[in-house]
Amino acid sequence: MRLTLLGTGAAGGMPLYGCDCADCRQALAEPKLGRAPCSALLEWGGHRLLLDAGLMDLHRRFAPGSLTGMLLTHFHVDHVQGLFHLRWGPAAPIPVWCPSDPDGCADLLKYPGCLDFRPEMAHDKTWQLHDLHITPLDMVHSRPTLGYLFEYHGRRLAYLTDTKGLPAHSLVLLQALPPLEALVIDCSFGPGVEGRNHNGLDQVMTLCAQLQPARTVLTHIGHDFHRWLQRHPLPRGLEAGYDDMAIATG
């Protein structure tokens, strides 16, 4: 099982539009140092599952038929905006598993085009996609949002964004399992910052103490936290994710 972080940025991304700080100038000059909308690609046994669809070039990255499907955490624009263009193509239907959210995003659910929305994901309702087990987990966010626990041949990793902390029932579910091999977790803010809808570094450290994952990778990184990361080391055991970072289990 291999997870590639395609984007590790918060909604504004890096560089932040109109910002003239040294880090935004650097990200503008060297795009590989920037941060695209938070998203990832999970690969296992010859299958490929896109996690969230905030990238605007999905139609160029993924040829028709190259994805087993898509899995959405929620319907905020920065996690689905790439679908607005892609949906009108004449490709075969693409399964898009997602939480049940009747509001969706704009007219995506009303006019899905080639997207086959399946709003059937629910907390602790484990399902199997080929030989991959997927368990949705409730998150704490401003609209219905799910994180996902992936299990493949006894290996486990969790992809948990967007969220501020974890609901008690999600935390209990994860604590009942052997420690995760990898935890990819929302961390939009630096230490001492109490954000809204997203974790700060202090909250992530608390979660790590409760879950004891073998590896913790931060994603959904905001502009100010990105700048902090350029000047400070992270506490031991934490890694800052970056675009195109690959995380393999086993």
Side-chain angles (χ1 to χ4, degrees):
M1 186 163 50
R2 173 187 171 100
L3 183 73
T4 302
L5 303 181
L6 303 179
T8 56
M14 282 293 296
L16 192 63
Y17 182 67
C19 181
D20 192 40
C21 75
D23 298 290
C24 282
R25 290 199 303 271
Q26 184 181 35
L28 194 60
E30 300 179 70
K32 67 179 182 180
L33 301 179
R35 296 186 184 277
C38 187
S39 57
L41 180 69
L42 185 71
E43 298 173 280
W44 78 101
H47 303 286
R48 306 172 88 204
L49 185 63
L50 182 65
L51 308 183
D52 281 337
L55 300 173
M56 296 298 289
D57 61 349
L58 295 177
H59 60 300
R60 296 182 186 276
R61 288 180 180 242
F62 302 106
S66 65
L67 288 173
T68 305
M70 302 181 187
L71 183 61
L72 303 182
T73 59
H74 64 302
F75 279 92
H76 272 154
V77 171
D78 58 316
H79 292 256
V80 298
Q81 58 196 354
L83 300 178
F84 283 88
H85 174 70
L86 181 143
R87 62 178 161 166
W88 299 121
I94 304 171
V96 183
W97 295 279
C98 55
S100 177
D101 184 346
D103 292 335
C105 182
D107 64 354
L108 270 178
L109 299 180
K110 186 176 181 180
Y111 302 110
C114 66
L115 304 172
D116 178 15
F117 284 103
R118 304 182 184 187
E120 54 200 44
M121 297 293 97
H123 175 79
D124 199 16
K125 186 179 176 183
T126 300
W127 60 293
Q128 189 169 340
L129 182 59
H130 301 285
D131 46 359
L132 176 73
H133 290 83
I134 304 174
T135 301
L137 300 166
D138 282 339
M139 299 288 101
V140 181
H141 204 46
S142 57
R143 65 185 308 161
T145 302
L146 295 169
Y148 295 99
L149 168 68
F150 301 103
E151 300 179 82
Y152 179 64
H153 291 183
R155 307 289 186 177
R156 296 183 181 85
L157 70 84
Y159 185 80
L160 308 181
T161 189
D162 296 17
T163 192
K164 181 178 181 179
L166 288 179
H169 52 285
S170 295
L171 183 62
V172 167
L173 187 153
L174 290 172
Q175 287 178 314
L177 300 171
L180 296 162
E181 281 196 48
L183 169 65
V184 179
I185 183 81
D186 178 320
C187 189
S188 298
F189 308 108
V193 179
E194 182 70 22
R196 184 171 61 89
N197 282 328
H198 295 277
N199 289 324
L201 185 59
D202 300 332
Q203 289 166 310
V204 168
M205 292 176 66
T206 298
L207 287 173
C208 286
Q210 294 169 315
L211 295 175
Q212 297 290 317
R215 185 178 181 185
T216 301
V217 179
L218 311 182
T219 191
H220 208 285
I221 292 169
H223 172 271
D224 292 349
F225 185 36
H226 175 95
R227 300 201 70 199
W228 186 91
L229 288 168
Q230 308 314 304
R231 295 156 182 81
H232 303 86
L234 281 168
R236 185 175 181 181
L238 300 184
E239 303 171 60
Y242 54 87
D243 292 10
D244 296 326
M245 178 183 190
I247 302 166
T249 63

PDB file of all heavy atoms in Angstrom, residues 160-173:
ATOM      1  N   LEU A 160      -6.651  11.552   7.813  1.00  0.00           N
ATOM      2  CA  LEU A 160      -7.638  12.269   8.609  1.00  0.00           C
ATOM      3  C   LEU A 160      -7.548  13.771   8.381  1.00  0.00           C
ATOM      4  O   LEU A 160      -6.773  14.471   9.035  1.00  0.00           O
ATOM      5  CB  LEU A 160      -7.435  11.951  10.106  1.00  0.00           C
ATOM      6  CG  LEU A 160      -7.371  10.469  10.496  1.00  0.00           C
ATOM      7  CD1 LEU A 160      -7.187  10.334  12.004  1.00  0.00           C
ATOM      8  CD2 LEU A 160      -8.603   9.704  10.036  1.00  0.00           C
ATOM      9  N   THR A 161      -8.286  14.260   7.430  1.00  0.00           N
ATOM     10  CA  THR A 161      -8.415  15.676   7.160  1.00  0.00           C
ATOM     11  C   THR A 161      -9.776  15.890   6.526  1.00  0.00           C
ATOM     12  O   THR A 161     -10.263  14.970   5.850  1.00  0.00           O
ATOM     13  CB  THR A 161      -7.294  16.166   6.224  1.00  0.00           C
ATOM     14  OG1 THR A 161      -7.318  17.581   6.138  1.00  0.00           O
ATOM     15  CG2 THR A 161      -7.404  15.563   4.845  1.00  0.00           C
ATOM     16  N   ASP A 162     -10.499  16.948   6.763  1.00  0.00           N
ATOM     17  CA  ASP A 162     -10.209  18.107   7.577  1.00  0.00           C
ATOM     18  C   ASP A 162     -10.854  17.893   8.944  1.00  0.00           C
ATOM     19  O   ASP A 162     -12.009  17.482   8.996  1.00  0.00           O
ATOM     20  CB  ASP A 162     -10.789  19.343   6.944  1.00  0.00           C
ATOM     21  CG  ASP A 162     -10.165  19.682   5.589  1.00  0.00           C
ATOM     22  OD1 ASP A 162      -9.518  18.806   4.987  1.00  0.00           O
ATOM     23  OD2 ASP A 162     -10.350  20.804   5.118  1.00  0.00           O
ATOM     24  N   THR A 163     -10.180  18.294   9.992  1.00  0.00           N
ATOM     25  CA  THR A 163     -10.740  18.062  11.314  1.00  0.00           C
ATOM     26  C   THR A 163     -10.028  18.898  12.371  1.00  0.00           C
ATOM     27  O   THR A 163      -8.861  19.263  12.199  1.00  0.00           O
ATOM     28  CB  THR A 163     -10.633  16.566  11.683  1.00  0.00           C
ATOM     29  OG1 THR A 163     -11.413  16.294  12.836  1.00  0.00           O
ATOM     30  CG2 THR A 163      -9.187  16.146  11.917  1.00  0.00           C
ATOM     31  N   LYS A 164     -10.764  19.212  13.402  1.00  0.00           N
ATOM     32  CA  LYS A 164     -10.185  19.832  14.595  1.00  0.00           C
ATOM     33  C   LYS A 164     -10.347  18.839  15.725  1.00  0.00           C
ATOM     34  O   LYS A 164     -11.452  18.643  16.247  1.00  0.00           O
ATOM     35  CB  LYS A 164     -10.890  21.147  14.931  1.00  0.00           C
ATOM     36  CG  LYS A 164     -10.300  21.838  16.153  1.00  0.00           C
ATOM     37  CD  LYS A 164     -10.988  23.159  16.424  1.00  0.00           C
ATOM     38  CE  LYS A 164     -10.347  23.831  17.638  1.00  0.00           C
ATOM     39  NZ  LYS A 164     -10.981  25.138  17.931  1.00  0.00           N
ATOM     40  N   GLY A 165      -9.272  18.183  16.115  1.00  0.00           N
ATOM     41  CA  GLY A 165      -9.370  17.085  17.060  1.00  0.00           C
ATOM     42  C   GLY A 165     -10.069  15.907  16.410  1.00  0.00           C
ATOM     43  O   GLY A 165     -10.170  15.808  15.178  1.00  0.00           O
ATOM     44  N   LEU A 166     -10.553  14.993  17.217  1.00  0.00           N
ATOM     45  CA  LEU A 166     -11.332  13.851  16.734  1.00  0.00           C
ATOM     46  C   LEU A 166     -12.530  13.648  17.650  1.00  0.00           C
ATOM     47  O   LEU A 166     -12.416  13.834  18.864  1.00  0.00           O
ATOM     48  CB  LEU A 166     -10.488  12.568  16.739  1.00  0.00           C
ATOM     49  CG  LEU A 166      -9.380  12.419  15.702  1.00  0.00           C
ATOM     50  CD1 LEU A 166      -8.655  11.093  15.907  1.00  0.00           C
ATOM     51  CD2 LEU A 166      -9.934  12.504  14.283  1.00  0.00           C
ATOM     52  N   PRO A 167     -13.687  13.260  17.097  1.00  0.00           N
ATOM     53  CA  PRO A 167     -14.803  12.890  17.966  1.00  0.00           C
ATOM     54  C   PRO A 167     -14.394  11.708  18.840  1.00  0.00           C
ATOM     55  O   PRO A 167     -13.575  10.868  18.421  1.00  0.00           O
ATOM     56  CB  PRO A 167     -15.906  12.489  16.984  1.00  0.00           C
ATOM     57  CG  PRO A 167     -15.494  13.030  15.666  1.00  0.00           C
ATOM     58  CD  PRO A 167     -13.999  13.083  15.678  1.00  0.00           C
ATOM     59  N   ALA A 168     -14.979  11.621  20.013  1.00  0.00           N
ATOM     60  CA  ALA A 168     -14.602  10.553  20.942  1.00  0.00           C
ATOM     61  C   ALA A 168     -14.789   9.175  20.313  1.00  0.00           C
ATOM     62  O   ALA A 168     -13.939   8.283  20.495  1.00  0.00           O
ATOM     63  CB  ALA A 168     -15.431  10.675  22.219  1.00  0.00           C
ATOM     64  N   HIS A 169     -15.871   8.981  19.540  1.00  0.00           N
ATOM     65  CA  HIS A 169     -16.124   7.643  18.986  1.00  0.00           C
ATOM     66  C   HIS A 169     -15.097   7.287  17.902  1.00  0.00           C
ATOM     67  O   HIS A 169     -14.779   6.110  17.722  1.00  0.00           O
ATOM     68  CB  HIS A 169     -17.552   7.509  18.471  1.00  0.00           C
ATOM     69  CG  HIS A 169     -17.980   8.567  17.517  1.00  0.00           C
ATOM     70  ND1 HIS A 169     -18.293   9.845  17.894  1.00  0.00           N
ATOM     71  CD2 HIS A 169     -18.160   8.542  16.175  1.00  0.00           C
ATOM     72  CE1 HIS A 169     -18.652  10.555  16.844  1.00  0.00           C
ATOM     73  NE2 HIS A 169     -18.582   9.789  15.779  1.00  0.00           N
ATOM     74  N   SER A 170     -14.576   8.277  17.186  1.00  0.00           N
ATOM     75  CA  SER A 170     -13.506   7.983  16.207  1.00  0.00           C
ATOM     76  C   SER A 170     -12.201   7.657  16.923  1.00  0.00           C
ATOM     77  O   SER A 170     -11.474   6.736  16.526  1.00  0.00           O
ATOM     78  CB  SER A 170     -13.307   9.184  15.274  1.00  0.00           C
ATOM     79  OG  SER A 170     -14.456   9.398  14.492  1.00  0.00           O
ATOM     80  N   LEU A 171     -11.916   8.419  17.967  1.00  0.00           N
ATOM     81  CA  LEU A 171     -10.688   8.168  18.727  1.00  0.00           C
ATOM     82  C   LEU A 171     -10.722   6.774  19.367  1.00  0.00           C
ATOM     83  O   LEU A 171      -9.734   6.026  19.297  1.00  0.00           O
ATOM     84  CB  LEU A 171     -10.537   9.245  19.799  1.00  0.00           C
ATOM     85  CG  LEU A 171      -9.274   9.177  20.653  1.00  0.00           C
ATOM     86  CD1 LEU A 171      -8.027   9.351  19.797  1.00  0.00           C
ATOM     87  CD2 LEU A 171      -9.326  10.245  21.748  1.00  0.00           C
ATOM     88  N   VAL A 172     -11.851   6.418  19.947  1.00  0.00           N
ATOM     89  CA  VAL A 172     -11.969   5.106  20.595  1.00  0.00           C
ATOM     90  C   VAL A 172     -11.789   3.991  19.568  1.00  0.00           C
ATOM     91  O   VAL A 172     -11.122   2.981  19.846  1.00  0.00           O
ATOM     92  CB  VAL A 172     -13.336   4.984  21.304  1.00  0.00           C
ATOM     93  CG1 VAL A 172     -13.624   3.543  21.705  1.00  0.00           C
ATOM     94  CG2 VAL A 172     -13.375   5.898  22.527  1.00  0.00           C
ATOM     95  N   LEU A 173     -12.369   4.160  18.393  1.00  0.00           N
ATOM     96  CA  LEU A 173     -12.231   3.131  17.357  1.00  0.00           C
ATOM     97  C   LEU A 173     -10.754   2.919  16.990  1.00  0.00           C
ATOM     98  O   LEU A 173     -10.289   1.781  16.893  1.00  0.00           O
ATOM     99  CB  LEU A 173     -13.033   3.535  16.123  1.00  0.00           C
ATOM    100  CG  LEU A 173     -13.173   2.534  14.988  1.00  0.00           C
ATOM    101  CD1 LEU A 173     -14.455   2.792  14.202  1.00  0.00           C
ATOM    102  CD2 LEU A 173     -11.994   2.533  14.017  1.00  0.00           C
TER     103      LEU A 173
END
